[in-house]
């Protein structure tokens, strides 16, 4: 389960960066919202899966609520999921 969470976290981080860079560039600079639609749905699904899996693995990882909050926060800050992976799963 921990490995699945790590993979979902990395995919969620990549999808977030693609959405915030390419998606917003095409939408506002080139007036083409197709990339926001293309990256938005997978990112939304990965985001929800990341949150649910964080709640599921909380007891396995012996996280307190502060750590869980940091993991949640990592999902909304750019590069946050990569930090969470490095901080809590580097062993």
């Amino acid at each position: 389960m921990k490995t699945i969470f790590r993979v979902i976290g990395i995919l969620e981080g990549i999808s977030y960066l693609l959405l915030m860079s390419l998606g917003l560039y095409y939408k506002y600079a080139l007036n083409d919202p197709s990339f926001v639609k293309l990256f938005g749905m997978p990112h939304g699904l990965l985001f929800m899966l990341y949150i649910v899996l964080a709640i599921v693995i909380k007891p396995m990882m012996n996280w307190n609520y502060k750590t869980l909050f940091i993991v949640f926060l990592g999902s909304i800050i750019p590069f946050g999921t990569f930090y969470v992976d490095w901080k809590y799963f580097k062993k």
Side-chain angles (χ1 to χ4, degrees), residues 79-91:
F79 300 100
T81 57
F82 305 117
Y83 170 78
V84 168
D85 186 63
W86 173 77
K87 176 79 175 170
Y88 299 107
F89 297 103
K90 63 183 173 185
K91 295 178 184 177

Side-chain angles (χ1 to χ4, degrees), residues 12 23 53:
E12 196 272 337
L53 286 175

Side-chain angles (χ1 to χ4, degrees), residues 2 5 11 16 18 24-26 37-39 45 48 50 52-53 61 63 68-71 78-79 82 85 89:
K2 187 167 71 168
F5 179 77
L11 290 175
Y16 187 51
L18 286 172
L24 293 180
Y25 171 75
Y26 274 87
K37 293 176 184 176
L38 178 70
F39 295 132
L45 294 173
M48 290 187 296
Y50 180 86
V52 169
L53 286 175
M61 299 296 295
W63 288 341
L68 185 63
F69 177 75
I70 292 169
V71 171
F79 300 100
F82 305 117
D85 186 63
F89 297 103

